[in-house]
């Protein structure tokens, strides 16, 4: 497995300190984020999943703890929009350049507005997808927020 991806290159270029963790990705896992948390031995609240959604028809990236679900109402509110819906997996792959299970908020082909669940800011370090299946990056959530130009907002149901 390559440990250099567009996501890690993005973090390197932004000067963000991070470490990587690899694990055996299970393509049959019911919930990919929870499988990743278990595989690396971390609490699911510190392993964040990256989801792609559409807000009033425009793409957005959403990063939330792997044991939580996004509230579409809260997501729309966070960006000052009217309605939000999950993006179809094929569209998410095309937009980001990553495959489902390996979508990272970092280094997407087209950077889109990003929101990170505000409770993640309470953690010293979190894990986010490193740009391929089975690769996580461990970093400060505040560094991630800054590097992405993201907003921190209540996003979970």
């Amino acid at each position: 497995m390559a440990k250099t991806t567009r996501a890690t290159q993005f973090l390197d270029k932004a000067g963000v300190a991070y470490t990587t963790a690899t694990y055996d990705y299970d393509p049959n896992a019911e919930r990919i984020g929870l499988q990743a948390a278990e595989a690396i031995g971390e609490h699911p609240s510190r392993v964040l999943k990256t989801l792609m959604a559409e807000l009033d028809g425009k793409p957005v990236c959403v990063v939330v703890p792997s044991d939580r679900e996004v509230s579409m109402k809260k997501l729309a509110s966070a960006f000052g929009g009217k309605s939000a819906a999950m993006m179809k997996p094929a569209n998410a792959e095309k937009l980001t350049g990553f495959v489902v299970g390996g979508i990272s908020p970092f280094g997407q082909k087209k950077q889109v507005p990003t929101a990170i669940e505000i409770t993640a800011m309470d953690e010293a370090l979190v894990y986010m997808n490193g740009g391929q299946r089975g690769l996580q990056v461990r970093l400060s959530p505040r560094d991630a927020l800054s590097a992405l130009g993201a907003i921190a907002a209540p996003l979970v149901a």
Side-chain angles (χ1 to χ4, degrees):
M1 169 183 305
K3 287 192 182 180
T4 299
T5 65
R6 281 196 334 274
T8 60
Q9 290 169 342
F10 174 95
L11 292 169
D12 291 341
K13 187 175 178 183
V16 174
Y18 67 93
T19 58
T20 58
T22 59
Y23 65 97
D24 290 327
Y25 173 82
D26 179 359
N28 300 314
E30 192 172 316
R31 295 179 68 188
I32 295 168
L34 293 178
Q35 188 260 326
E38 184 177 337
I40 62 175
E42 268 296 336
H43 192 277
S45 66
R46 285 189 293 277
V47 179
L48 308 181
K49 59 186 173 183
T50 305
L51 304 169
M52 300 304 294
E54 293 178 351
L55 175 72
D56 298 336
K58 298 198 182 311
V60 293
C61 180
V62 188
V63 182
V64 298
S66 60
D67 60 347
R68 303 294 303 271
E69 295 299 321
V70 176
S71 161
M72 292 299 136
K73 188 174 183 176
K74 288 181 181 179
L75 173 59
S77 177
F79 284 111
K82 292 183 178 150
S83 68
M86 294 307 298
M87 188 179 288
K88 291 180 179 168
N91 294 347
E93 289 182 344
K94 184 176 179 184
L95 179 75
T96 65
F98 295 119
V99 296
V100 169
I103 294 178
S104 176
F106 311 110
Q108 294 183 2
K109 278 196 324 191
K110 180 180 181 204
Q111 200 65 45
V112 299
T114 302
I116 301 174
E117 167 57 35
I118 196 161
T119 58
M121 298 303 124
D122 296 337
E123 302 289 343
L125 295 168
V126 295
Y127 289 83
M128 294 185 189
N129 195 289
Q132 72 182 32
R133 293 172 174 170
L135 178 66
Q136 295 281 316
V137 290
R138 182 176 180 243
L139 72 168
S140 156
R142 295 197 180 277
D143 286 351
L145 192 75
S146 177
L148 292 165
I151 60 169
L155 301 168
V156 295

